Amino acid sequence: MKSWWYPFRRGPLASLPLQVLAKPWLGPILALAVVILVGALGYRLTEGWDWGDCLWMVLITISTIGYGEVEPLSQAGRLVTVLIIAGGVVVVQLTIQRALRLTESGYFRQLRELRFRRVLRRMRDHVIVCGYGRIGQEIASKLQLEQVPVLVVEIDPANKQAAEEQGLNVLQADATLDETLLEAGLDHCRSLVAALPSNAANLYVVLSAKSMRPHCRLISRADSEEAAVKLKLAGASVVVSPYVAAGRTMAATALRPLAVDFMDLLAGSDYEIEEFQLSQDPLKFNKLSQRSLAKLQLGRRSGAMVLAIRDGSSLMANPNSEVELAPGQLLVVLGSKAQLIRLRELLGEALDTIERMAS
């Protein structure tokens, strides 16, 4: 396993001691502390002042403020002052030289990178967006609006800078590489969106992610029907064509404008539409005390509304209270975040997975 200081084991910093890499400011601070304490001790021995006066004299001497001596100095006291001035000059010079060396060696850049890697390791339940082009920008902005943690994987420096200006965490790397996806937290992410401009690149991303985490939800863009078919075969959960999606949205707006407006209304609100996949395990499903919607009273007890139930290939919209739940069904539910959490608790172990449809 790579240690936390692994990034510093390469390049011009490889020859520096680990302690210096971890705390480069430790040397100058210790040197300054020694000058102050030794100088105070010198005034204490030569002038007989109390420690407060000794420390004050050292500070105004090192800082060159020079408010005035606490008391007239003896010859020995003046010698101590000269030594303090010399020691202070040496410490300042060493500090400046250390800062210049660290800057030239790229220490501060690698330190920022190290801190970013720590942020990556702490990310959980986030969405990985591969590519920050026009589509990636729209996806990231919508996710930000919903306050969902987002990590952008982008290799282009200009796009990386644009994403950082929007307050996004950006990993500058090739998204088609396995090591990049692992570094982006594929094992802990909520879903992955492949929004790269090339169909082949998106296919590589989907193949890599599917092989490393088979149950991860993968969404990919495709510019053609042929590419969409191949991405589906590669393991993409959802494949979206920008042109097809735009055409459907425009057609829906022309035919059913209120429905489209309703989905837009949900965006940015506290309400969401989520898919609740019920378990196919009879033992887990049998732990539900009741089966029918009337007896479960999910709406009254949670406040959420069951919009539809999908059982295999059939879909039942607006189910009545007499409908009974069965293993493997998919519930489409509308509710606030708090209501949906309450519904999860009511379903308990009978619930297999949860996926957000729209928000």
Side-chain angles (χ1 to χ4, degrees), residues 194-245:
L196 298 171
S198 167
N199 290 326
N202 289 324
L203 183 61
Y204 270 111
V205 172
V206 171
L207 284 171
S208 298
K210 193 68 176 179
S211 64
M212 291 184 290
R213 191 183 171 196
H215 301 294
C216 180
R217 185 171 178 81
L218 305 175
I219 302 98
S220 177
R221 65 164 287 183
D223 293 337
S224 64
E225 187 64 28
E226 181 182 359
V229 172
K230 292 180 179 179
L231 284 164
K232 276 285 188 179
L233 291 174
S237 308
V238 179
V239 179
V240 179
S241 171
Y243 310 108
V244 174

Side-chain angles (χ1 to χ4, degrees), residues 29-152:
I29 287 181
L30 289 177
L32 182 61
V34 169
V35 171
I36 292 175
L37 293 177
V38 172
L41 179 61
Y43 284 130
R44 176 77 174 177
L45 296 176
T46 58
E47 306 300 323
W49 298 337
D50 59 54
W51 285 107
D53 289 340
C54 293
L55 290 172
W56 173 252
M57 188 65 184
V58 173
L59 290 176
I60 64 175
T61 302
I62 290 180
S63 62
T64 69
I65 294 176
Y67 284 118
E69 301 170 355
V70 176
E71 293 180 16
L73 293 173
S74 63
Q75 289 295 113
R78 292 177 179 175
L79 177 60
V80 170
T81 303
V82 171
L83 295 177
I84 291 174
I85 294 174
V89 170
V90 171
V91 169
V92 171
Q93 287 286 351
L94 289 176
T95 302
I96 294 175
Q97 291 176 8
R98 174 65 58 83
L100 290 175
R101 285 202 303 270
L102 292 175
T103 302
E104 292 172 356
S105 63
Y107 172 84
F108 295 107
R109 177 182 56 79
Q110 295 196 44
L111 185 60
R112 289 192 298 269
E113 182 181 351
L114 175 60
R115 290 173 178 170
F116 177 67
R117 306 288 174 180
R118 289 175 177 171
V119 171
L120 290 185
R121 289 197 295 269
R122 290 196 297 266
M123 292 189 76
R124 294 292 185 276
D125 198 31
H126 59 290
V127 176
I128 302 173
V129 179
C130 300
Y132 197 70
R134 287 180 294 179
I135 294 178
Q137 292 174 17
E138 187 66 23
I139 294 170
S141 65
K142 293 296 183 184
L143 293 173
Q144 277 187 305
L145 187 64
E146 294 298 322
Q147 298 182 344
V148 175
V150 182
L151 174 65
V152 175

Side-chain angles (χ1 to χ4, degrees), residues 327-344:
Q329 288 181 336
L330 181 72
L331 308 184
V332 181
V333 183
L334 169 66
S336 66
K337 292 181 174 65
Q339 292 170 345
L340 295 173
I341 291 174
R342 178 58 181 158
L343 182 60
R344 298 174 201 174

